Amino acid sequence: MTQADIGVYGLGTMGSALALNLAENGFDVAVSNREADWIGTFVSKAKDLDGDLTGHTELPDFVQAIKTPRTILFMIPSGAPMDDMIDTVVPYLTNGDTIIDGGNADFNATRARTKRLEGTGIHFVGMGVSGGAEGARHGPSMMVGGTAYSWAQFRPMAEAISAKFEGDPCVAHLGPDGAGHFVKTVHNGIEYADMQMIAEIYGIQRDLAGLPAPQIGKMFADWSDGPLSSYLIESAAAVLRAKDAATGAAMIEVILDQAGQKGTGRWTLIEALKLGQSASTIEAAVGARGWSSEKAVRVAAQEALDIGKQEVALPSEADLADAMLAGRILAHAQGFRVMAAASDEFGWNLDMARIAEIWRAGCIIRSALLDVFADAFRAELPHGHMILSPEMVARLGDCLPGLRRVVAAAAMAGQPVPALAAALAWNDSMALARGTADMIQGLRDYFGAHGFARVDQDGTHHGTWDG
Ligand code: 6PG
């Protein structure tokens, strides 16, 4: 019997979709799953694919069915289950085999697991997979960490199953140990910010303009052809145009306004802060999901508080589109800054242009802008900062007035736009040559003698404070 090219363990939504994708691309795949009864059902559904899919209920048989050096992709819950799995599977593996964790893992855990397996001859790869079930089945974007050795084994399969942007596979080996999972975490942080900005614009149209869902959906659909073209804008149009089968109402009308989250947005913030960065657009998005859960408080507060709403002219659709574009550029710029800081800290040498390129298709944040970002990173960037590239300077110059008008109107009208406002505040802070940190330094020295740098002399100084 021929041995499988790869093993896939974990036949949940993502694992089964990736196994089918591999088989469809002609690879022989051994599959296994903790709940053994899923295996037979899955294999029987997977006929007529180019590659063979063989199911194995026992872990040793599963491992034996894969050609050496083995590549085994684990699509199981992140955290303790992955550590338990490493303990269980390693005794059956041999020198040169690779374990790939394709879940949304904390990159710190990926680094620890890599370290733990160092010297055993077993390689550990943390890989971010984006695109949901549909992407996994027909072409995800994949962000691969781990060793160059493991990448060489996995690369032909990864490139075959990945999404393609004009023929270019949306997968890359981005760096060692946790680099792949870190980049996926930041991808998700940007996903949170983008979704929050879409929700804020929907909120303006719903609450200030009083438009019905299908009309707002049409606006997003109209945006899908231009510079805002993206999976998430298309998805917003689809969500707003859908009808609830039970009531016939717009689907969005029956969805409770409380958002869930699994933690990757929060991880982006935690790591950003540890690296001395601030991803304020992502923070706004994570915060807004948190506040959304306090439904009862919000209901009571709307009744009790007079928030001083003012009459304002409604933002035009053109301004809303510009606000979304500026916000999207700035949220990505923050995400790329966080990745640059991590790359320096961990010595990963991340290639920002390549990251932008592998996000052009397959992943949830795929958009027309990613190709523009990739070009910006391929050129020499002033101060290494994407928003200073000539293309971004021009684009932001065009769309910042719209963002400013939208944030101002929303503030006056009492309509919350935390992510758009954070994007604008960050932009304005970064574009202010003389900021206000002189006051912070003055206060620190005044009450705590912390010292400050002077504009006209080197060294640390103290003020001559009266009183
Ligand atoms: C992707 C997504 C995916 C993520 C979901 C839900 O790239 O395919 O980022 O990995 O799990 O979007 O995330 P939350 O539950 O945290 O919103």
Side-chain angles (χ1 to χ4, degrees), residues 104 130-132 184 187-188 191-192 261-264 289 364:
N104 272 335
S130 180
K184 176 58 168 60
H187 164 284
N188 282 26
E191 173 186 304
Y192 274 52
Q261 55 184 316
K262 298 198 197 72
T264 43
R289 288 200 195 187
I364 301 293

Side-chain angles (χ1 to χ4, degrees), residues 188-193 196 200 259-261 263-270 279-293 418-419:
N188 282 26
I190 297 171
E191 173 186 304
Y192 274 52
Q196 177 62 26
E200 290 171 11
Q261 55 184 316
T264 43
R266 188 163 49 226
W267 290 346
T268 310
L269 300 178
I270 293 169
S280 57
T281 55
I282 300 169
E283 207 285 323
V286 173
R289 288 200 195 187
W291 303 329
S292 80
S293 69

